[in-house]
């Protein structure tokens, strides 16, 4: 059987902190991610996986997950040392309004639907933020789910997500 584990070393990502979108778990299609195509449409970074990754000098580590139609998803194994109230943030880009996604922790929707703003280009990023999110401590699975596509047929381009202290902007 295929085992899901944190990429690249099997060590869960430490939260609070930032997780690059392209660093989804190991385990393959149907286990660590759901993707509409079997090929990496961007042909970059993790070329043996079906998740679509492009090179982008403006992205957090030079790569971004794109080509994200409705119902695709990515999972990440994380470790949160303390229970509390946090802010969930995602750095995203979109061409046209209408793209929506959500973030789940251990299967529980913690954000509701979040809108990808029309940033005018796939590499013009903005941060989407949800405050007041109650999270429990421990090792958990985070799922970023593509809920609704915009006019391009894609939800958006995803650079990273992070868990941060819940402070006013």
């Amino acid at each position: 059987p295929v085992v899901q584990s944190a990429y690249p070393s099997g060590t869960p990502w430490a939260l609070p902190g930032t997780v690059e979108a392209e660093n989804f778990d190991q385990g393959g299609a149907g286990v660590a991610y759901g993707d509409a195509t079997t090929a990496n449409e961007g042909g970059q970074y993790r070329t043996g996986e079906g998740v679509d990754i492009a090179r982008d000098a403006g992205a957090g580590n030079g790569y971004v997950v794109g080509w994200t139609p409705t119902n695709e998803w990515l999972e990440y194994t994380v470790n949160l040392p303390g229970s509390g109230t946090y802010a969930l943030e995602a750095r995203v880009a979109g061409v046209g309004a209408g793209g929506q996604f959500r973030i789940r922790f251990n299967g529980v929707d913690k954000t509701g639907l979040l809108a990808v703003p029309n940033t005018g280009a796939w590499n013009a990023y903005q941060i989407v933020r949800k405050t007041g999110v109650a999270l429990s401590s421990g090792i958990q699975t985070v799922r970023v789910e593509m809920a609704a596509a915009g006019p391009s047929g894609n939800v958006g381009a995803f650079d990273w997500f992070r868990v941060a202290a819940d402070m006013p902007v």
Side-chain angles (χ1 to χ4, degrees), residues 133-150:
V133 179
L135 298 175
S136 299
S137 65
I139 295 175
Q140 305 175 59
T141 301
V142 173
R143 178 181 277 205
V144 177
E145 271 179 10
M146 308 306 150

Side-chain angles (χ1 to χ4, degrees), residues 40-103:
N40 176 338
E41 301 294 325
Q44 299 294 314
Y45 195 65
R46 296 173 69 179
T47 56
E49 301 283 1
V51 174
D52 309 312
I53 302 171
R55 186 178 303 276
D56 182 354
N61 74 342
Y63 298 96
V64 62
V65 172
W67 297 271
T68 53
T70 303
N71 296 324
E72 288 193 346
W73 51 271
L74 302 160
E75 287 189 344
Y76 308 84
T77 302
V78 301
N79 188 10
L80 185 66
S83 297
T85 303
Y86 295 90
L88 297 181
E89 300 174 332
R91 188 170 188 245
V92 299
V95 176
Q100 295 180 316
F101 68 103
R102 68 173 47 91
I103 300 175

Side-chain angles (χ1 to χ4, degrees), residues 21-39:
E22 59 278 5
N23 288 336
F24 54 90
D25 281 358
Q26 301 175 105
V31 176
Y33 64 86
D35 197 274
T37 60
T38 57

Side-chain angles (χ1 to χ4, degrees), residues 10 12 14 24 37 39 42 50 57 65-66 69 79 83 96 106 111 119 127 134 144-145 151 158-159 161 163:
F24 54 90
T37 60
V65 172
N79 188 10
S83 297
N106 292 335
T111 61
T119 64
I127 294 173
V144 177
E145 271 179 10
F158 291 78
D159 184 11
F161 76 88
V163 173

